[in-house]
Amino acid sequence: GIQVEQSPPDLILQEGANSTLRCNFSDSVNNLQWFHQNPWGQLINLFYIPSGTKQNGRLSATTVATERYSLLYISSSQTTDSGVYFCAVSPGGFKTIFGAGTRLFVKA
Amino acid sequence: EPEVTQTPSHQVTQMGQEVILRCVPISNHLYFYWYRQILGQKVEFLVSFYNNEISEKSEIFDDQFSVERPDGSNFTLKIRSTKLEDSAMYFCAAGGLAQTQYFGPGTRLLVL
């Protein structure tokens, strides 16, 4: 089955710093989403981005489907950005495969 | 953001007991999903549901699991005879095929 790899696995930032999270996937997909899991466990959808670039405030994402990767950019990080960031893909059909996540901690 | 609700928020049960987890998805969405997340691990797909039937399921979703939408609003996941390894957070999601999925807050299940 399709493999989803996220890097880095862990990231510590000083408040105000920028970061880039990466998601590689091993096969073509028709759906790619980025989620933030906050410290209370809730999964918040950040982007639906099977291809192209989107921006939402301090966050932006780019997916290059032909090269099988997606990037999530966080600018001017805040302590509330802490949590786990998941990339999730659907190779076709209904099944969604999550990566192992990037655990982010932003220090004040 | 559209809201998906789940009840209960926490459930503790004895091994071998049946549990039913409930979800109220967004009314205008047609595709519903259940996922689980064992503590500290990644989110795993269990099953998708469309047009009152299972559209796809994972290898985790064995005969101990079932889903239904009994009244057109609630969407339930039943575990017939719980095992210790069923302890996890269970998430319901609603959305569309090849569209954004909106997740509920989850039910934390502990099997003793």
Side-chain angles (χ1 to χ4, degrees), chain A residues 30-31 33 35 37 41-45 48 86 93-96 98-100, chain B residues 31 33 35 37 42-43 45 48 55-56 59 91 97-101 103:
Chain A
N30 64 0
N31 183 348
Q33 300 175 84
F35 292 90
Q37 186 166 41
Q42 186 152 13
L43 281 163
I44 307 298
N45 185 284
Y48 168 76
F86 289 104
F94 297 87
K95 193 171 186 178
T96 301
F98 278 70
Chain B
Y31 299 86
Y33 309 83
Y35 295 84
Q37 185 180 31
K42 63 181 173 182
V43 179
F45 170 84
S48 59
S55 47
E56 193 161 357
E59 56 278 4
F91 292 102
L97 186 63
Q99 294 179 19
T100 298
Q101 291 183 28
F103 279 68

PDB file of all heavy atoms in Angstrom, chain A residues 30-31 33 35 37 41-45 48 86 93-96 98-100, chain B residues 31 33 35 37 42-43 45 48 55-56 59 91 97-101 103:
ATOM      1  N   ASN A  30      -5.330  11.241  -4.956  1.00  0.00           N
ATOM      2  CA  ASN A  30      -6.339  12.171  -5.443  1.00  0.00           C
ATOM      3  C   ASN A  30      -6.831  13.096  -4.335  1.00  0.00           C
ATOM      4  O   ASN A  30      -7.740  13.889  -4.542  1.00  0.00           O
ATOM      5  CB  ASN A  30      -7.526  11.425  -6.066  1.00  0.00           C
ATOM      6  CG  ASN A  30      -8.267  10.567  -5.059  1.00  0.00           C
ATOM      7  OD1 ASN A  30      -7.916  10.521  -3.892  1.00  0.00           O
ATOM      8  ND2 ASN A  30      -9.295   9.876  -5.520  1.00  0.00           N
ATOM      9  N   ASN A  31      -6.211  12.996  -3.171  1.00  0.00           N
ATOM     10  CA  ASN A  31      -6.657  13.781  -2.031  1.00  0.00           C
ATOM     11  C   ASN A  31      -5.488  13.900  -1.072  1.00  0.00           C
ATOM     12  O   ASN A  31      -4.863  12.888  -0.733  1.00  0.00           O
ATOM     13  CB  ASN A  31      -7.842  13.073  -1.356  1.00  0.00           C
ATOM     14  CG  ASN A  31      -8.425  13.848  -0.198  1.00  0.00           C
ATOM     15  OD1 ASN A  31      -7.853  14.816   0.278  1.00  0.00           O
ATOM     16  ND2 ASN A  31      -9.584  13.400   0.259  1.00  0.00           N
ATOM     17  N   GLN A  33      -4.551  16.081   2.611  1.00  0.00           N
ATOM     18  CA  GLN A  33      -4.980  17.028   3.628  1.00  0.00           C
ATOM     19  C   GLN A  33      -3.882  17.183   4.675  1.00  0.00           C
ATOM     20  O   GLN A  33      -3.149  16.221   4.954  1.00  0.00           O
ATOM     21  CB  GLN A  33      -6.264  16.537   4.323  1.00  0.00           C
ATOM     22  CG  GLN A  33      -7.439  16.346   3.371  1.00  0.00           C
ATOM     23  CD  GLN A  33      -8.639  15.758   4.089  1.00  0.00           C
ATOM     24  OE1 GLN A  33      -9.427  16.457   4.699  1.00  0.00           O
ATOM     25  NE2 GLN A  33      -8.779  14.444   3.993  1.00  0.00           N
ATOM     26  N   PHE A  35      -3.531  18.262   8.746  1.00  0.00           N
ATOM     27  CA  PHE A  35      -4.289  18.429   9.979  1.00  0.00           C
ATOM     28  C   PHE A  35      -3.350  18.873  11.098  1.00  0.00           C
ATOM     29  O   PHE A  35      -2.170  18.504  11.127  1.00  0.00           O
ATOM     30  CB  PHE A  35      -4.932  17.104  10.414  1.00  0.00           C
ATOM     31  CG  PHE A  35      -6.014  16.599   9.516  1.00  0.00           C
ATOM     32  CD1 PHE A  35      -5.713  15.751   8.458  1.00  0.00           C
ATOM     33  CD2 PHE A  35      -7.341  16.953   9.729  1.00  0.00           C
ATOM     34  CE1 PHE A  35      -6.711  15.269   7.631  1.00  0.00           C
ATOM     35  CE2 PHE A  35      -8.345  16.466   8.903  1.00  0.00           C
ATOM     36  CZ  PHE A  35      -8.031  15.631   7.860  1.00  0.00           C
ATOM     37  N   GLN A  37      -3.254  18.438  15.196  1.00  0.00           N
ATOM     38  CA  GLN A  37      -3.858  17.853  16.390  1.00  0.00           C
ATOM     39  C   GLN A  37      -3.367  18.648  17.587  1.00  0.00           C
ATOM     40  O   GLN A  37      -2.161  18.656  17.889  1.00  0.00           O
ATOM     41  CB  GLN A  37      -3.509  16.378  16.541  1.00  0.00           C
ATOM     42  CG  GLN A  37      -4.253  15.703  17.694  1.00  0.00           C
ATOM     43  CD  GLN A  37      -4.177  14.197  17.644  1.00  0.00           C
ATOM     44  OE1 GLN A  37      -3.138  13.618  17.343  1.00  0.00           O
ATOM     45  NE2 GLN A  37      -5.285  13.537  17.945  1.00  0.00           N
ATOM     46  N   GLY A  41      -6.100  16.881  21.754  1.00  0.00           N
ATOM     47  CA  GLY A  41      -6.383  15.727  20.911  1.00  0.00           C
ATOM     48  C   GLY A  41      -7.277  15.983  19.719  1.00  0.00           C
ATOM     49  O   GLY A  41      -7.506  15.078  18.910  1.00  0.00           O
ATOM     50  N   GLN A  42      -7.790  17.193  19.587  1.00  0.00           N
ATOM     51  CA  GLN A  42      -8.708  17.464  18.489  1.00  0.00           C
ATOM     52  C   GLN A  42      -7.962  17.620  17.170  1.00  0.00           C
ATOM     53  O   GLN A  42      -6.898  18.247  17.120  1.00  0.00           O
ATOM     54  CB  GLN A  42      -9.527  18.722  18.757  1.00  0.00           C
ATOM     55  CG  GLN A  42     -10.591  18.956  17.703  1.00  0.00           C
ATOM     56  CD  GLN A  42     -11.779  19.715  18.215  1.00  0.00           C
ATOM     57  OE1 GLN A  42     -11.736  20.279  19.293  1.00  0.00           O
ATOM     58  NE2 GLN A  42     -12.844  19.740  17.429  1.00  0.00           N
ATOM     59  N   LEU A  43      -8.517  17.050  16.104  1.00  0.00           N
ATOM     60  CA  LEU A  43      -7.936  17.131  14.764  1.00  0.00           C
ATOM     61  C   LEU A  43      -8.618  18.257  14.000  1.00  0.00           C
ATOM     62  O   LEU A  43      -9.820  18.217  13.751  1.00  0.00           O
ATOM     63  CB  LEU A  43      -8.136  15.815  14.020  1.00  0.00           C
ATOM     64  CG  LEU A  43      -7.180  14.683  14.367  1.00  0.00           C
ATOM     65  CD1 LEU A  43      -7.731  13.360  13.885  1.00  0.00           C
ATOM     66  CD2 LEU A  43      -5.804  14.932  13.780  1.00  0.00           C
ATOM     67  N   ILE A  44      -7.816  19.231  13.608  1.00  0.00           N
ATOM     68  CA  ILE A  44      -8.331  20.389  12.894  1.00  0.00           C
ATOM     69  C   ILE A  44      -7.799  20.348  11.464  1.00  0.00           C
ATOM     70  O   ILE A  44      -6.589  20.255  11.253  1.00  0.00           O
ATOM     71  CB  ILE A  44      -7.887  21.707  13.558  1.00  0.00           C
ATOM     72  CG1 ILE A  44      -8.231  21.710  15.046  1.00  0.00           C
ATOM     73  CG2 ILE A  44      -8.518  22.913  12.841  1.00  0.00           C
ATOM     74  CD1 ILE A  44      -9.688  21.618  15.352  1.00  0.00           C
ATOM     75  N   ASN A  45      -8.722  20.408  10.515  1.00  0.00           N
ATOM     76  CA  ASN A  45      -8.296  20.423   9.131  1.00  0.00           C
ATOM     77  C   ASN A  45      -7.671  21.781   8.788  1.00  0.00           C
ATOM     78  O   ASN A  45      -8.285  22.812   9.030  1.00  0.00           O
ATOM     79  CB  ASN A  45      -9.494  20.138   8.228  1.00  0.00           C
ATOM     80  CG  ASN A  45      -9.099  20.030   6.778  1.00  0.00           C
ATOM     81  OD1 ASN A  45      -8.852  21.039   6.131  1.00  0.00           O
ATOM     82  ND2 ASN A  45      -9.031  18.819   6.285  1.00  0.00           N
ATOM     83  N   TYR A  48      -7.025  21.297   2.446  1.00  0.00           N
ATOM     84  CA  TYR A  48      -7.272  20.248   1.470  1.00  0.00           C
ATOM     85  C   TYR A  48      -6.502  20.665   0.236  1.00  0.00           C
ATOM     86  O   TYR A  48      -6.839  21.697  -0.384  1.00  0.00           O
ATOM     87  CB  TYR A  48      -8.760  20.099   1.183  1.00  0.00           C
ATOM     88  CG  TYR A  48      -9.047  19.241  -0.017  1.00  0.00           C
ATOM     89  CD1 TYR A  48      -8.940  17.869   0.065  1.00  0.00           C
ATOM     90  CD2 TYR A  48      -9.393  19.807  -1.245  1.00  0.00           C
ATOM     91  CE1 TYR A  48      -9.177  17.074  -1.037  1.00  0.00           C
ATOM     92  CE2 TYR A  48      -9.626  19.023  -2.347  1.00  0.00           C
ATOM     93  CZ  TYR A  48      -9.520  17.660  -2.241  1.00  0.00           C
ATOM     94  OH  TYR A  48      -9.746  16.876  -3.340  1.00  0.00           O
ATOM     95  N   PHE A  86      -0.307  16.379  10.962  1.00  0.00           N
ATOM     96  CA  PHE A  86      -0.433  15.166  10.167  1.00  0.00           C
ATOM     97  C   PHE A  86      -0.722  15.509   8.707  1.00  0.00           C
ATOM     98  O   PHE A  86      -1.521  16.403   8.416  1.00  0.00           O
ATOM     99  CB  PHE A  86      -1.591  14.300  10.671  1.00  0.00           C
ATOM    100  CG  PHE A  86      -1.352  13.624  11.989  1.00  0.00           C
ATOM    101  CD1 PHE A  86      -1.959  14.104  13.139  1.00  0.00           C
ATOM    102  CD2 PHE A  86      -0.536  12.508  12.077  1.00  0.00           C
ATOM    103  CE1 PHE A  86      -1.752  13.479  14.362  1.00  0.00           C
ATOM    104  CE2 PHE A  86      -0.321  11.876  13.291  1.00  0.00           C
ATOM    105  CZ  PHE A  86      -0.937  12.367  14.439  1.00  0.00           C
ATOM    106  N   GLY A  93     -10.438   6.034  -4.090  1.00  0.00           N
ATOM    107  CA  GLY A  93     -11.461   5.461  -3.234  1.00  0.00           C
ATOM    108  C   GLY A  93     -11.630   6.271  -1.966  1.00  0.00           C
ATOM    109  O   GLY A  93     -11.384   7.478  -1.942  1.00  0.00           O
ATOM    110  N   PHE A  94     -12.016   5.605  -0.902  1.00  0.00           N
ATOM    111  CA  PHE A  94     -12.399   6.291   0.329  1.00  0.00           C
ATOM    112  C   PHE A  94     -11.332   6.221   1.416  1.00  0.00           C
ATOM    113  O   PHE A  94     -11.379   6.988   2.365  1.00  0.00           O
ATOM    114  CB  PHE A  94     -13.682   5.665   0.883  1.00  0.00           C
ATOM    115  CG  PHE A  94     -14.864   5.818  -0.025  1.00  0.00           C
ATOM    116  CD1 PHE A  94     -15.119   4.903  -1.036  1.00  0.00           C
ATOM    117  CD2 PHE A  94     -15.730   6.885   0.117  1.00  0.00           C
ATOM    118  CE1 PHE A  94     -16.208   5.044  -1.880  1.00  0.00           C
ATOM    119  CE2 PHE A  94     -16.828   7.037  -0.713  1.00  0.00           C
ATOM    120  CZ  PHE A  94     -17.065   6.115  -1.713  1.00  0.00           C
ATOM    121  N   LYS A  95     -10.400   5.304   1.294  1.00  0.00           N
ATOM    122  CA  LYS A  95      -9.450   5.096   2.383  1.00  0.00           C
ATOM    123  C   LYS A  95      -8.492   6.275   2.485  1.00  0.00           C
ATOM    124  O   LYS A  95      -7.988   6.760   1.467  1.00  0.00           O
ATOM    125  CB  LYS A  95      -8.666   3.810   2.122  1.00  0.00           C
ATOM    126  CG  LYS A  95      -7.870   3.309   3.297  1.00  0.00           C
ATOM    127  CD  LYS A  95      -7.311   1.919   3.007  1.00  0.00           C
ATOM    128  CE  LYS A  95      -6.643   1.334   4.226  1.00  0.00           C
ATOM    129  NZ  LYS A  95      -6.149  -0.041   3.962  1.00  0.00           N
ATOM    130  N   THR A  96      -8.238   6.737   3.698  1.00  0.00           N
ATOM    131  CA  THR A  96      -7.310   7.838   3.941  1.00  0.00           C
ATOM    132  C   THR A  96      -6.172   7.328   4.796  1.00  0.00           C
ATOM    133  O   THR A  96      -6.417   6.736   5.855  1.00  0.00           O
ATOM    134  CB  THR A  96      -8.018   9.011   4.637  1.00  0.00           C
ATOM    135  OG1 THR A  96      -9.094   9.460   3.814  1.00  0.00           O
ATOM    136  CG2 THR A  96      -7.056  10.157   4.881  1.00  0.00           C
ATOM    137  N   PHE A  98      -2.833   8.207   6.983  1.00  0.00           N
ATOM    138  CA  PHE A  98      -2.140   9.267   7.698  1.00  0.00           C
ATOM    139  C   PHE A  98      -0.660   8.943   7.820  1.00  0.00           C
ATOM    140  O   PHE A  98      -0.269   7.773   7.988  1.00  0.00           O
ATOM    141  CB  PHE A  98      -2.717   9.413   9.114  1.00  0.00           C
ATOM    142  CG  PHE A  98      -3.972  10.232   9.180  1.00  0.00           C
ATOM    143  CD1 PHE A  98      -5.173   9.754   8.663  1.00  0.00           C
ATOM    144  CD2 PHE A  98      -3.964  11.477   9.786  1.00  0.00           C
ATOM    145  CE1 PHE A  98      -6.338  10.513   8.733  1.00  0.00           C
ATOM    146  CE2 PHE A  98      -5.127  12.236   9.876  1.00  0.00           C
ATOM    147  CZ  PHE A  98      -6.307  11.755   9.348  1.00  0.00           C
ATOM    148  N   GLY A  99       0.157   9.996   7.790  1.00  0.00           N
ATOM    149  CA  GLY A  99       1.548   9.848   8.153  1.00  0.00           C
ATOM    150  C   GLY A  99       1.683   9.792   9.671  1.00  0.00           C
ATOM    151  O   GLY A  99       0.706   9.943  10.414  1.00  0.00           O
ATOM    152  N   ALA A 100       2.915   9.595  10.117  1.00  0.00           N
ATOM    153  CA  ALA A 100       3.169   9.465  11.560  1.00  0.00           C
ATOM    154  C   ALA A 100       3.177  10.813  12.269  1.00  0.00           C
ATOM    155  O   ALA A 100       3.155  10.858  13.501  1.00  0.00           O
ATOM    156  CB  ALA A 100       4.488   8.741  11.797  1.00  0.00           C
TER     157      ALA A 100
ATOM    158  N   TYR B  31     -20.634  11.543   3.061  1.00  0.00           N
ATOM    159  CA  TYR B  31     -19.639  10.508   3.322  1.00  0.00           C
ATOM    160  C   TYR B  31     -19.223  10.595   4.779  1.00  0.00           C
ATOM    161  O   TYR B  31     -18.932  11.684   5.278  1.00  0.00           O
ATOM    162  CB  TYR B  31     -18.413  10.702   2.419  1.00  0.00           C
ATOM    163  CG  TYR B  31     -18.722  10.614   0.947  1.00  0.00           C
ATOM    164  CD1 TYR B  31     -19.161  11.725   0.238  1.00  0.00           C
ATOM    165  CD2 TYR B  31     -18.575   9.412   0.260  1.00  0.00           C
ATOM    166  CE1 TYR B  31     -19.457  11.642  -1.111  1.00  0.00           C
ATOM    167  CE2 TYR B  31     -18.864   9.325  -1.096  1.00  0.00           C
ATOM    168  CZ  TYR B  31     -19.307  10.441  -1.770  1.00  0.00           C
ATOM    169  OH  TYR B  31     -19.598  10.358  -3.100  1.00  0.00           O
ATOM    170  N   TYR B  33     -16.967   8.668   8.097  1.00  0.00           N
ATOM    171  CA  TYR B  33     -15.779   7.854   8.339  1.00  0.00           C
ATOM    172  C   TYR B  33     -15.602   7.625   9.835  1.00  0.00           C
ATOM    173  O   TYR B  33     -15.981   8.462  10.656  1.00  0.00           O
ATOM    174  CB  TYR B  33     -14.522   8.579   7.826  1.00  0.00           C
ATOM    175  CG  TYR B  33     -14.609   9.072   6.397  1.00  0.00           C
ATOM    176  CD1 TYR B  33     -15.215  10.278   6.092  1.00  0.00           C
ATOM    177  CD2 TYR B  33     -14.055   8.324   5.356  1.00  0.00           C
ATOM    178  CE1 TYR B  33     -15.287  10.729   4.782  1.00  0.00           C
ATOM    179  CE2 TYR B  33     -14.122   8.768   4.046  1.00  0.00           C
ATOM    180  CZ  TYR B  33     -14.740   9.979   3.771  1.00  0.00           C
ATOM    181  OH  TYR B  33     -14.809  10.428   2.472  1.00  0.00           O
ATOM    182  N   TYR B  35     -12.264   6.599  12.379  1.00  0.00           N
ATOM    183  CA  TYR B  35     -10.832   6.404  12.512  1.00  0.00           C
ATOM    184  C   TYR B  35     -10.547   6.086  13.972  1.00  0.00           C
ATOM    185  O   TYR B  35     -11.342   6.406  14.857  1.00  0.00           O
ATOM    186  CB  TYR B  35     -10.069   7.689  12.152  1.00  0.00           C
ATOM    187  CG  TYR B  35     -10.175   8.132  10.728  1.00  0.00           C
ATOM    188  CD1 TYR B  35     -11.259   8.898  10.293  1.00  0.00           C
ATOM    189  CD2 TYR B  35      -9.183   7.809   9.805  1.00  0.00           C
ATOM    190  CE1 TYR B  35     -11.352   9.321   8.973  1.00  0.00           C
ATOM    191  CE2 TYR B  35      -9.268   8.236   8.486  1.00  0.00           C
ATOM    192  CZ  TYR B  35     -10.353   8.990   8.083  1.00  0.00           C
ATOM    193  OH  TYR B  35     -10.432   9.416   6.776  1.00  0.00           O
ATOM    194  N   GLN B  37      -7.152   6.189  16.942  1.00  0.00           N
ATOM    195  CA  GLN B  37      -5.786   6.590  17.223  1.00  0.00           C
ATOM    196  C   GLN B  37      -5.391   6.010  18.574  1.00  0.00           C
ATOM    197  O   GLN B  37      -5.884   6.457  19.620  1.00  0.00           O
ATOM    198  CB  GLN B  37      -5.639   8.112  17.228  1.00  0.00           C
ATOM    199  CG  GLN B  37      -4.209   8.591  17.403  1.00  0.00           C
ATOM    200  CD  GLN B  37      -4.087  10.101  17.412  1.00  0.00           C
ATOM    201  OE1 GLN B  37      -4.994  10.808  17.843  1.00  0.00           O
ATOM    202  NE2 GLN B  37      -2.957  10.613  16.930  1.00  0.00           N
ATOM    203  N   LYS B  42      -0.221   7.053  15.156  1.00  0.00           N
ATOM    204  CA  LYS B  42      -0.876   7.805  14.094  1.00  0.00           C
ATOM    205  C   LYS B  42      -2.346   7.430  13.977  1.00  0.00           C
ATOM    206  O   LYS B  42      -2.810   6.440  14.549  1.00  0.00           O
ATOM    207  CB  LYS B  42      -0.166   7.611  12.769  1.00  0.00           C
ATOM    208  CG  LYS B  42      -0.154   6.198  12.230  1.00  0.00           C
ATOM    209  CD  LYS B  42       0.608   6.179  10.910  1.00  0.00           C
ATOM    210  CE  LYS B  42       0.814   4.786  10.379  1.00  0.00           C
ATOM    211  NZ  LYS B  42       1.597   4.789   9.129  1.00  0.00           N
ATOM    212  N   VAL B  43      -3.065   8.239  13.253  1.00  0.00           N
ATOM    213  CA  VAL B  43      -4.488   8.020  13.032  1.00  0.00           C
ATOM    214  C   VAL B  43      -4.658   6.924  11.980  1.00  0.00           C
ATOM    215  O   VAL B  43      -4.004   6.946  10.939  1.00  0.00           O
ATOM    216  CB  VAL B  43      -5.150   9.332  12.564  1.00  0.00           C
ATOM    217  CG1 VAL B  43      -6.631   9.126  12.316  1.00  0.00           C
ATOM    218  CG2 VAL B  43      -4.921  10.445  13.587  1.00  0.00           C
ATOM    219  N   PHE B  45      -7.355   4.659   9.541  1.00  0.00           N
ATOM    220  CA  PHE B  45      -8.661   4.541   8.906  1.00  0.00           C
ATOM    221  C   PHE B  45      -9.318   3.226   9.304  1.00  0.00           C
ATOM    222  O   PHE B  45      -8.676   2.164   9.272  1.00  0.00           O
ATOM    223  CB  PHE B  45      -8.482   4.617   7.389  1.00  0.00           C
ATOM    224  CG  PHE B  45      -9.701   4.285   6.586  1.00  0.00           C
ATOM    225  CD1 PHE B  45     -10.665   5.246   6.336  1.00  0.00           C
ATOM    226  CD2 PHE B  45      -9.887   3.017   6.065  1.00  0.00           C
ATOM    227  CE1 PHE B  45     -11.785   4.946   5.566  1.00  0.00           C
ATOM    228  CE2 PHE B  45     -10.996   2.703   5.299  1.00  0.00           C
ATOM    229  CZ  PHE B  45     -11.953   3.677   5.061  1.00  0.00           C
ATOM    230  N   SER B  48     -15.390   3.629   5.845  1.00  0.00           N
ATOM    231  CA  SER B  48     -16.132   4.736   5.270  1.00  0.00           C
ATOM    232  C   SER B  48     -17.546   4.258   4.942  1.00  0.00           C
ATOM    233  O   SER B  48     -17.774   3.059   4.699  1.00  0.00           O
ATOM    234  CB  SER B  48     -15.449   5.286   4.018  1.00  0.00           C
ATOM    235  OG  SER B  48     -15.313   4.262   3.046  1.00  0.00           O
ATOM    236  N   SER B  55     -18.574   1.671   2.232  1.00  0.00           N
ATOM    237  CA  SER B  55     -17.956   1.835   0.920  1.00  0.00           C
ATOM    238  C   SER B  55     -16.535   1.290   0.891  1.00  0.00           C
ATOM    239  O   SER B  55     -16.063   0.842  -0.154  1.00  0.00           O
ATOM    240  CB  SER B  55     -17.978   3.303   0.498  1.00  0.00           C
ATOM    241  OG  SER B  55     -17.547   4.139   1.559  1.00  0.00           O
ATOM    242  N   GLU B  56     -15.858   1.353   2.034  1.00  0.00           N
ATOM    243  CA  GLU B  56     -14.518   0.783   2.117  1.00  0.00           C
ATOM    244  C   GLU B  56     -14.183   0.541   3.584  1.00  0.00           C
ATOM    245  O   GLU B  56     -14.670   1.265   4.453  1.00  0.00           O
ATOM    246  CB  GLU B  56     -13.483   1.736   1.489  1.00  0.00           C
ATOM    247  CG  GLU B  56     -12.131   1.105   1.238  1.00  0.00           C
ATOM    248  CD  GLU B  56     -11.278   1.880   0.227  1.00  0.00           C
ATOM    249  OE1 GLU B  56     -11.773   2.893  -0.331  1.00  0.00           O
ATOM    250  OE2 GLU B  56     -10.129   1.474   0.007  1.00  0.00           O
ATOM    251  N   GLU B  59      -8.260  -3.386   7.200  1.00  0.00           N
ATOM    252  CA  GLU B  59      -8.073  -4.722   7.773  1.00  0.00           C
ATOM    253  C   GLU B  59      -8.345  -4.720   9.275  1.00  0.00           C
ATOM    254  O   GLU B  59      -8.580  -5.769   9.867  1.00  0.00           O
ATOM    255  CB  GLU B  59      -6.658  -5.233   7.467  1.00  0.00           C
ATOM    256  CG  GLU B  59      -5.531  -4.336   7.922  1.00  0.00           C
ATOM    257  CD  GLU B  59      -5.229  -3.204   6.965  1.00  0.00           C
ATOM    258  OE1 GLU B  59      -5.940  -3.032   5.946  1.00  0.00           O
ATOM    259  OE2 GLU B  59      -4.273  -2.462   7.247  1.00  0.00           O
ATOM    260  N   PHE B  91     -12.362   8.600  16.280  1.00  0.00           N
ATOM    261  CA  PHE B  91     -12.819   9.820  15.640  1.00  0.00           C
ATOM    262  C   PHE B  91     -13.828   9.495  14.547  1.00  0.00           C
ATOM    263  O   PHE B  91     -13.625   8.584  13.748  1.00  0.00           O
ATOM    264  CB  PHE B  91     -11.657  10.569  14.983  1.00  0.00           C
ATOM    265  CG  PHE B  91     -10.656  11.153  15.928  1.00  0.00           C
ATOM    266  CD1 PHE B  91      -9.443  10.529  16.150  1.00  0.00           C
ATOM    267  CD2 PHE B  91     -10.926  12.350  16.584  1.00  0.00           C
ATOM    268  CE1 PHE B  91      -8.506  11.081  17.020  1.00  0.00           C
ATOM    269  CE2 PHE B  91      -9.995  12.911  17.446  1.00  0.00           C
ATOM    270  CZ  PHE B  91      -8.779  12.268  17.660  1.00  0.00           C
ATOM    271  N   LEU B  97     -16.115  12.718  -1.002  1.00  0.00           N
ATOM    272  CA  LEU B  97     -15.072  11.988  -1.691  1.00  0.00           C
ATOM    273  C   LEU B  97     -14.168  13.009  -2.365  1.00  0.00           C
ATOM    274  O   LEU B  97     -14.636  13.910  -3.048  1.00  0.00           O
ATOM    275  CB  LEU B  97     -15.702  11.072  -2.740  1.00  0.00           C
ATOM    276  CG  LEU B  97     -14.731  10.131  -3.448  1.00  0.00           C
ATOM    277  CD1 LEU B  97     -14.118   9.163  -2.457  1.00  0.00           C
ATOM    278  CD2 LEU B  97     -15.456   9.361  -4.547  1.00  0.00           C
ATOM    279  N   ALA B  98     -12.879  12.880  -2.119  1.00  0.00           N
ATOM    280  CA  ALA B  98     -11.902  13.820  -2.657  1.00  0.00           C
ATOM    281  C   ALA B  98     -12.210  15.245  -2.199  1.00  0.00           C
ATOM    282  O   ALA B  98     -12.063  16.205  -2.960  1.00  0.00           O
ATOM    283  CB  ALA B  98     -11.834  13.751  -4.183  1.00  0.00           C
ATOM    284  N   GLN B  99     -12.670  15.384  -0.958  1.00  0.00           N
ATOM    285  CA  GLN B  99     -12.930  16.693  -0.379  1.00  0.00           C
ATOM    286  C   GLN B  99     -12.426  16.725   1.058  1.00  0.00           C
ATOM    287  O   GLN B  99     -12.020  15.714   1.617  1.00  0.00           O
ATOM    288  CB  GLN B  99     -14.432  16.998  -0.383  1.00  0.00           C
ATOM    289  CG  GLN B  99     -15.040  17.158  -1.760  1.00  0.00           C
ATOM    290  CD  GLN B  99     -16.534  17.443  -1.675  1.00  0.00           C
ATOM    291  OE1 GLN B  99     -17.034  17.861  -0.646  1.00  0.00           O
ATOM    292  NE2 GLN B  99     -17.229  17.212  -2.763  1.00  0.00           N
ATOM    293  N   THR B 100     -12.501  17.903   1.656  1.00  0.00           N
ATOM    294  CA  THR B 100     -12.106  18.075   3.052  1.00  0.00           C
ATOM    295  C   THR B 100     -12.916  17.165   3.966  1.00  0.00           C
ATOM    296  O   THR B 100     -14.132  17.016   3.779  1.00  0.00           O
ATOM    297  CB  THR B 100     -12.340  19.535   3.463  1.00  0.00           C
ATOM    298  OG1 THR B 100     -11.520  20.370   2.648  1.00  0.00           O
ATOM    299  CG2 THR B 100     -11.991  19.761   4.921  1.00  0.00           C
ATOM    300  N   GLN B 101     -12.245  16.556   4.940  1.00  0.00           N
ATOM    301  CA  GLN B 101     -12.934  15.797   5.972  1.00  0.00           C
ATOM    302  C   GLN B 101     -12.889  16.594   7.266  1.00  0.00           C
ATOM    303  O   GLN B 101     -11.848  17.098   7.670  1.00  0.00           O
ATOM    304  CB  GLN B 101     -12.255  14.440   6.183  1.00  0.00           C
ATOM    305  CG  GLN B 101     -12.440  13.497   5.006  1.00  0.00           C
ATOM    306  CD  GLN B 101     -11.835  12.134   5.259  1.00  0.00           C
ATOM    307  OE1 GLN B 101     -11.736  11.673   6.395  1.00  0.00           O
ATOM    308  NE2 GLN B 101     -11.427  11.471   4.194  1.00  0.00           N
ATOM    309  N   PHE B 103     -13.425  16.487  11.285  1.00  0.00           N
ATOM    310  CA  PHE B 103     -13.367  15.504  12.357  1.00  0.00           C
ATOM    311  C   PHE B 103     -14.124  15.970  13.595  1.00  0.00           C
ATOM    312  O   PHE B 103     -14.112  17.157  13.940  1.00  0.00           O
ATOM    313  CB  PHE B 103     -11.903  15.233  12.748  1.00  0.00           C
ATOM    314  CG  PHE B 103     -11.213  14.257  11.833  1.00  0.00           C
ATOM    315  CD1 PHE B 103     -10.933  14.596  10.522  1.00  0.00           C
ATOM    316  CD2 PHE B 103     -10.856  12.994  12.285  1.00  0.00           C
ATOM    317  CE1 PHE B 103     -10.305  13.692   9.661  1.00  0.00           C
ATOM    318  CE2 PHE B 103     -10.226  12.094  11.444  1.00  0.00           C
ATOM    319  CZ  PHE B 103      -9.960  12.440  10.145  1.00  0.00           C
TER     320      PHE B 103
END
